[in-house]
Amino acid sequence: MRSWYSFVLLALIGMISVGCSDSGASGSGDQTTLSFYSTATTEEDKKVIKEAIAGFEEENPDIDIEENLPGDGYEDMLRVKMAANDMPDLFDTHGWAKQRYSEYVADLSDMEWVENLDPALETILKDEEGKVYAYPLNQAKDGITYNANLLEEYGIEPPTTFDEFMEALYEVKEKSDGEVTPLWFHGSDKSAFGQYFDQFATPLLVTDEENNYEEELLNGSFDWANYTFLPEKLKEMHDEGLLNEDVLTAQIQQQEQLMAQGKIAFNFGGGSIGPAVEELNPEVQVGVIPMPAVHDGDDPSWIGGERHTVAAWKDTENMEEAKKFIEYLAQPEVAEKIAEGTSLPAGLANVDADNYYSEYYDAFEGVEVQPYFDRVYLPSGMWDVMGATGQELLSESMTPEEVSEKMGEEYTRLREE
């Protein structure tokens, strides 16, 4: 009996101990940790995101945000996580909210900030059933950046059509006696040419009513001979000395210095080049214009949509906390700080962010924002093809017609994979 009694007594003590242990675990369990992956790469973008996280954690000491900013490795990391169905609690959809991540993201349509979503982002972040895929920290409005001082000095109006753009390049070459590069590429990186092709493909193939190939591009029947205009024009720019002589070896690190020195007229510089040039030389004003129309009668267009976003994984065990973080980011004062810190417009219509390009965005307020061409019309993998064919074209390894043929072959192959 005594042995049996001892056994029961020990068991009860054990249960009490376990209970005490569970209580301690529950106490530590009150601290929720959320994983957050972002595509932020520049130091400015990283800084403003980390500051937002710190502000949220200060207001919510029971929630810890573990950010991961893997830079160029982001897409590979997320593909592995998608394959394992083990996504971060929060992640950046970086332009692929609907096309790539749709089955992994939670519907955010019940959140208050949705009523203030900028109409320009509705077709990109919201579907016909009303599902909202991600919260936009900011929005991209890519076009062509330019040295506003130089254009004013030379009496050149910022171009609104492709023909005017070419004329402007020739004028810069003539009026600067060859001292200023009309259009500059950091061509050691093939993505520089990918940007040219991707941004001009939209006005060439999509926005003009009479030259609209959306249906053919989406169903796989597109005739790539219609693309040849772009490599032909790029080759003309190269042959006529409108590009930098070191176009195939130049590196992006040179871009800011050369623009600050007044050595570049136009480039595809993105949002960060303006503030960077201002730091180096406050006397140089960098402007930005929408993509010029290619066809007569068409209008210019911004290229972009979502830039940095925050989506919630639909299977996260911490949905309440994840949405709480998104709610914090959508507060007007926080959203404004993030937009200004990244030198891009906010994703919410009720937030008026003052950034480097504000006067240009205001001047072109009515210009429509078109999504990035490759994200809508091309299969995954075509971005590398666009960039590589640009390098081969300017190294004279390919003709413009061969560029289009290569694009067609890879487009078909990748669609079938």
Side-chain angles (χ1 to χ4, degrees):
M1 288 291 294
R2 185 177 300 174
S3 176
W4 177 85
Y5 176 79
S6 300
F7 174 80
V8 172
L9 182 60
L10 288 170
L12 287 171
I13 292 171
M15 289 175 66
I16 293 170
S17 299
V18 169
C20 291
S21 176
D22 282 347
S23 176
S26 177
S28 63
D30 289 341
Q31 180 75 25
T32 300
T33 299
L34 298 176
S35 55
F36 172 40
Y37 281 51
S38 175
T39 59
T41 53
T42 69
E43 292 306 312
E44 293 82 3
D45 291 355
K46 290 179 181 179
K47 178 183 177 183
V48 75
I49 287 174
K50 288 180 178 181
E51 287 176 351
I53 290 172
F56 173 77
E57 290 177 336
E58 185 176 352
E59 288 189 15
N60 301 273
D62 58 329
I63 303 175
D64 180 48
I65 306 288
E66 287 188 352
E67 78 271 14
N68 194 322
L69 310 173
D72 292 340
Y74 184 90
E75 290 201 23
D76 290 339
M77 292 177 72
L78 266 289
R79 283 194 179 98
V80 171
K81 288 188 168 294
M82 283 191 288
N85 195 33
D86 182 24
M87 298 290 282
D89 298 297
L90 299 153
F91 60 95
D92 187 347
T93 57
H94 63 109
W96 297 95
K98 292 163 70 173
Q99 297 291 328
R100 180 178 297 168
Y101 298 111
S102 59
E103 64 181 284
Y104 299 94
V105 302
D107 183 5
L108 304 180
S109 60
D110 62 343
M111 301 189 72
E112 291 184 7
W113 59 265
V114 172
E115 65 182 28
N116 295 310
L117 180 65
D118 192 311
L121 294 173
E122 287 214 0
T123 58
I124 297 168
L125 293 175
K126 191 174 182 179
D127 66 19
E128 295 177 355
E129 285 72 43
K131 177 178 178 178
V132 175
Y133 290 73
Y135 167 72
L137 291 173
N138 48 26
Q139 59 178 307
K141 284 189 176 181
D142 287 346
I144 302 174
T145 47
Y146 65 96
N147 185 321
N149 307 76
L150 276 177
L151 263 62
E152 183 176 357
E153 179 184 344
Y154 296 155
I156 300 172
E157 288 293 320
T160 60
T161 69
F162 196 97
D163 286 344
E164 290 176 359
F165 179 56
M166 292 297 293
E167 289 172 11
L169 299 183
Y170 279 108
E171 281 193 72
V172 168
K173 179 185 177 182
E174 178 185 349
K175 292 182 177 180
S176 71
D177 292 324
E179 294 298 313
V180 176
T181 298
L183 178 60
W184 192 89
F185 284 97
H186 58 283
S188 62
D189 182 348
K190 60 187 173 184
S191 69
F193 301 114
Q195 206 70 37
Y196 161 83
F197 286 123
D198 201 60
Q199 290 187 206
F200 267 123
T202 296
L204 176 67
L205 305 172
V206 177
T207 57
D208 184 64
E209 289 185 9
E210 296 182 9
N211 298 275
N212 185 299
Y213 297 96
E214 287 185 90
E215 184 177 345
E216 293 90 337
L217 285 161
L218 292 172
N219 67 27
S221 64
F222 178 65
D223 180 358
W224 282 89
N226 294 299
Y227 178 85
T228 307
F229 172 86
L230 295 180
E232 282 180 342
K233 287 299 180 181
L234 184 60
K235 185 175 188 303
E236 177 186 339
M237 295 174 196
H238 184 249
D239 293 347
E240 294 296 324
L242 305 179
L243 307 181
N244 41 311
E245 291 183 4
D246 61 348
V247 64
L248 290 172
T249 58
Q251 300 185 20
I252 194 169
Q253 293 87 347
Q254 302 170 250
Q255 181 175 255
E256 296 164 1
Q257 288 283 351
L258 291 171
M259 182 69 88
Q261 294 167 11
K263 298 294 186 182
I264 298 173
F266 293 92
N267 73 337
F268 296 88
S272 63
I273 188 172
V277 168
E278 184 178 46
E279 283 192 18
L280 294 170
N281 185 357
E283 299 300 315
V284 173
Q285 173 66 42
V286 180
V288 63
I289 53 171
M291 294 306 296
V294 172
H295 303 285
D296 291 341
D298 196 14
D299 297 317
S301 54
W302 293 112
I303 306 298
E306 55 173 298
R307 176 56 61 84
H308 296 118
T309 67
V310 182
W313 181 31
K314 67 179 180 63
D315 294 327
T316 178
E317 295 179 357
N318 304 299
M319 186 63 72
E320 181 180 347
E321 292 84 357
K323 285 190 172 182
K324 194 170 187 178
F325 179 55
I326 294 174
E327 285 173 355
Y328 173 82
L329 295 173
Q331 293 178 30
E333 62 274 17
V334 178
E336 179 181 343
K337 186 175 182 181
I338 292 173
E340 291 180 351
T342 56
S343 298
L344 288 170
L348 302 180
N350 65 328
V351 175
D352 186 18
D354 182 21
N355 62 53
Y356 184 89
Y357 296 109
S358 289
E359 66 176 282
Y360 298 96
Y361 293 142
D362 290 344
F364 297 105
E365 186 177 4
V367 173
E368 188 173 354
V369 179
Q370 295 287 336
Y372 293 106
F373 182 81
D374 67 302
R375 294 175 181 174
V376 177
Y377 303 108
L378 302 182
S380 179
M382 285 297 290
W383 174 258
D384 284 343
V385 180
M386 282 195 292
T389 53
Q391 288 180 326
E392 293 183 67
L393 174 74
L394 297 192
S395 65
E396 300 186 351
S397 299
M398 299 181 78
T399 65
E401 292 76 18
E402 288 171 338
V403 167
S404 294
E405 289 172 13
K406 180 68 172 179
M407 287 288 291
E409 291 169 2
E410 292 299 296
Y411 166 80
T412 300
R413 181 183 68 83
L414 291 169
R415 277 179 59 87
E416 293 173 351
E417 285 188 356

